[in-house]
Amino acid sequence: MVRGAEALDARLPLSEVARSLVRKVFPDHWSFLLGELALYSFVVLLLTGVFLAFFFDPSMRESAYQGSYAPLRGVLMSQAYLSTLEISFDVRGGLLIRQLHHWAALLFLSSIGAHMLRVFLTGAFRRPREVNWLLGVTLFLLSLLEGFAGYSLPDDLLSGTGLRIAQGIMLSVPLVGTYLSFFAFGGEYPGDDIVPRLYPVHILLVPGLLLGLITVHVLLVFALKHTQWPGPGRTGRNVVGLPFHPQYVAKSGGLFLMVFGLLAALGAVAQINPIWNYGPYRADVVSTGAQPDWYVGFLEGALRLMPGVETRLWGHTVMWNPLLTAVVLPGLLFAVLYAYPFFERWITGATGERHLCDRPRDRPVRTALGTAALSCYAVLLLAGAQDVLAFVFDVPLPALTWTMRVAFVAVPVAVFWLTRRLCLGLQERERRLLTDGEASGMVVQGAEGGFRPQHRALTPGERYAVLARERPRPLAPDGGAGGGRLGPLLNKARSALSRWYYRDSVPYPTTAEQRRKIAETTAGPDHRRPPGKAND
């Protein structure tokens, strides 16, 4: 047996790979576990999804229900809805697994969103991790599609209303909208093919893509140097933390058990998506107060806020409401997410690798853009429940709609300004801490009889964490490095964007020697400092 293992290792150097894997070091900070939350919730999704696939029937063939749920006995329904009821009431543990599956889907999407936000705010998308950022955005996009497909499978009144909205969005696409709708639904709405077609997409196509992309994503995390927060002993050329085995394996394994236990508890005690309350889907009925899951709630809000405007062009009617809000808006959102790492590198002139995380306060504009986008999403999410809010708070629906239309424009602008000022205020506070020290809470009396607060100087570790930051400066008007190859107008736009992005920053009191050490600390393994950049 030993001889066989040696022969196998001679042909496949597994031991070498295993040794390097065991020695892999991971930073010890809670924010790096957000990606693992997504990974472990995906594992729960796979396990529960396999169980549900044994009992779910995606057929649209109608029959009368004769199961355990008395209020629906004798009602005609599709096999998709009937089998979902049987899973909920007649399969032992079926309702628990079904609700656990739904809660895991919500955790999966929310943890991906939180993980992407962490990567964005800390600049962990910069070279050499641009490909991993693109993979992450693609995973988020596929997860939205997967969630919507699974949400639509039971063929209940609530999910059917969502499919009706999706069909309206398809029809709004100029020239090809009708063909898209006919292809998806197998003819005139509602058709008989949409659920049978969504089923393989939900259990095979998208999960396979997700599994493959997650594998590549994790492999890239192992292959590339892991980002870490600035601190004593941490530079752009090392990683300080826990070895993969045994410390990190134990910590990560404990997180998986906690995630599984929390989801199991939610599945047992927190009811979600009670389809028996909605009834089977009928094209002539709409569920009152229907709300989608939160991850597509912003689309619902955008549809409700956009006025119903249409234009007749060359014999075709263009419906601007679903076209702009549900096709153009998501397209722009993901286009910006895909392009952002390259945009920031363009206006920065950066060429080297970056392995130290930015503190959000050190990038006021980037942080303000992220919070403004979140506030815009929050307004749209609330707008998706405008009818419920108007009923609960007894306010006129038209007035609430106009208020949210104004908020959609005004709130992100206000949040951007406030976040940027807050970041600069935190920088100014740190500058005072570096010069005056931290207030100790003690008051001393001077020789002249006056009183003054006593301050404590920052420790070397605290000073290191504050000073070890990279501070990009705006590019020169000629566009910095390589600017001569660009057109004059593009150069001007690049330098103007760079000035807007990096002009506001509080200078910290540092000596020339400290600036040299900071530059060495933040530099990546290539030791190249990009032109037009400096550290203070």
Side-chain angles (χ1 to χ4, degrees):
M1 185 174 180
V2 174
R3 186 176 303 173
E6 292 176 349
L8 180 63
D9 186 61
R11 292 162 176 80
L12 298 173
L14 300 178
S15 61
E16 181 180 347
V17 174
R19 283 194 296 268
S20 62
L21 178 63
V22 168
R23 293 195 300 266
K24 181 72 175 179
V25 175
F26 287 85
D28 186 20
H29 194 271
W30 66 267
S31 62
F32 298 125
L33 298 177
L34 294 173
E36 295 189 26
L37 283 178
L39 176 62
Y40 294 147
S41 56
F42 181 70
V43 172
V44 176
L45 280 172
L46 290 180
L47 296 176
T48 54
V50 169
F51 176 88
L52 295 174
F54 285 122
F55 303 98
F56 181 75
D57 182 1
S59 172
M60 298 294 289
R61 179 175 54 85
E62 287 191 336
S63 60
Y65 177 70
Q66 300 297 334
S68 302
Y69 188 65
L72 289 177
R73 285 177 186 162
V75 176
L76 284 176
M77 59 186 65
S78 66
Q79 290 299 307
Y81 185 73
L82 189 149
S83 62
T84 308
L85 287 178
E86 290 181 344
I87 291 173
S88 302
F89 295 108
D90 299 313
V91 176
R92 187 178 297 274
L95 181 59
L96 172 64
I97 299 300
R98 198 179 137 257
Q99 296 199 147
L100 194 155
H101 187 75
H102 202 124
W103 280 115
L106 296 182
L107 178 61
F108 179 55
L109 280 154
S110 58
S111 54
I112 288 180
H115 179 59
M116 288 181 59
L117 185 62
R118 197 277 301 175
V119 171
F120 176 81
L121 294 179
T122 62
F125 52 80
R126 296 173 296 179
R127 182 180 175 187
R129 299 174 185 84
E130 299 96 334
V131 173
N132 236 6
W133 170 262
L134 299 180
L135 288 176
V137 176
T138 305
L139 284 169
F140 187 56
L141 179 60
L142 289 174
S143 301
L144 292 176
L145 175 62
E146 176 75 347
F148 179 77
Y151 179 83
S152 304
L153 287 181
D155 195 35
D156 60 287
L157 186 57
L158 183 61
S159 66
T161 303
L163 282 175
R164 182 65 181 90
I165 295 173
Q167 193 249 359
I169 295 171
M170 295 177 192
L171 291 176
S172 71
V173 180
L175 300 180
V176 298
T178 304
Y179 299 99
L180 290 175
S181 174
F182 269 62
F183 172 77
F185 290 89
E188 290 285 354
Y189 180 85
D192 295 325
D193 296 340
I194 182 64
V195 171
R197 289 177 178 176
L198 282 177
Y199 186 63
V201 169
H202 181 68
I203 70 168
L204 291 177
L205 179 60
V206 179
L209 292 173
L210 286 173
L211 186 60
L213 291 178
I214 289 174
T215 302
V216 176
H217 188 76
V218 173
L219 289 176
L220 284 177
V221 170
F222 272 87
L224 302 173
K225 182 189 291 292
H226 206 294
T227 57
Q228 60 185 344
W229 293 99
R234 302 172 187 170
T235 70
R237 298 176 298 280
N238 68 0
V239 179
V240 178
L242 301 175
F244 180 73
H245 183 273
Q247 288 92 336
Y248 198 81
V249 169
K251 181 178 180 179
S252 185
L255 178 64
F256 171 72
L257 295 177
M258 292 174 62
V259 169
F260 187 83
L262 176 62
L263 291 175
L266 286 173
V269 303
Q271 185 182 82
I272 189 169
N273 197 24
I275 62 163
W276 51 88
N277 287 340
Y278 311 139
Y281 179 66
R282 286 176 48 186
D284 59 334
V285 178
V286 175
S287 178
T288 303
Q291 307 296 324
D293 279 339
W294 66 268
Y295 47 86
V296 290
F298 74 101
L299 288 179
E300 176 83 7
L303 288 169
R304 297 189 182 199
L305 292 187
M306 177 74 182
V309 180
E310 61 182 48
T311 303
R312 188 76 176 170
L313 296 173
W314 302 291
H316 298 276
T317 300
V318 179
M319 297 294 298
W320 295 108
N321 183 333
L323 179 62
L324 290 180
T325 56
V327 178
V328 177
L329 177 64
L332 287 176
L333 169 64
F334 281 95
V336 169
L337 289 176
Y338 278 116
Y340 186 84
F342 309 100
F343 165 77
E344 185 168 307
R345 186 173 65 182
W346 182 61
I347 64 172
T348 306
T351 56
E353 296 183 1
R354 297 294 180 269
H355 298 290
L356 288 180
C357 293
D358 293 328
R359 296 183 308 165
R361 70 185 65 181
D362 294 333
R363 296 290 188 272
V365 175
R366 182 205 292 160
T367 304
L369 287 174
T371 55
L374 284 179
S375 66
C376 183
Y377 168 82
V379 171
L380 292 179
L381 189 62
L382 289 175
Q386 58 170 181
D387 52 343
V388 177
L389 295 176
F391 175 77
V392 171
F393 295 102
D394 194 22
V395 295
L397 184 60
L400 183 61
T401 300
W402 275 104
T403 300
M404 289 186 172
R405 285 173 178 169
V406 174
F408 176 72
V409 177
V411 169
V413 175
V415 170
F416 178 89
W417 179 86
L418 182 62
T419 303
R420 180 172 155 274
R421 297 305 307 171
L422 179 61
C423 290
L424 294 175
L426 292 173
Q427 290 185 28
E428 177 61 28
R429 176 181 176 274
E430 288 184 339
R431 186 194 66 79
R432 291 197 301 267
L433 290 176
L434 290 171
T435 56
D436 303 332
E438 186 178 15
S440 64
M442 302 292 292
V443 178
V444 297
Q445 185 176 18
E448 70 282 358
F451 293 90
R452 66 178 185 275
Q454 191 176 34
H455 290 78
R456 175 188 65 83
L458 297 182
T459 65
E462 292 172 334
R463 293 181 64 88
Y464 187 100
V466 172
L467 290 175
R469 62 168 188 162
E470 190 180 31
R471 296 186 61 209
R473 289 180 176 176
L475 293 176
D478 62 352
R485 295 193 298 269
L486 303 174
L489 293 178
L490 193 57
N491 270 332
K492 289 182 180 179
R494 183 187 185 192
S495 60
L497 284 171
S498 183
R499 285 196 303 273
W500 171 73
Y501 214 86
Y502 294 116
R503 67 186 175 188
D504 295 323
S505 184
V506 177
Y508 287 2
T510 54
T511 63
E513 178 63 18
Q514 286 176 323
R515 289 194 291 272
R516 184 187 64 80
K517 291 182 178 179
I518 292 171
E520 292 179 355
T521 298
T522 58
D526 49 10
H527 293 276
R528 291 196 300 268
R529 305 302 300 161
K533 301 190 70 171
N535 294 318
D536 290 338

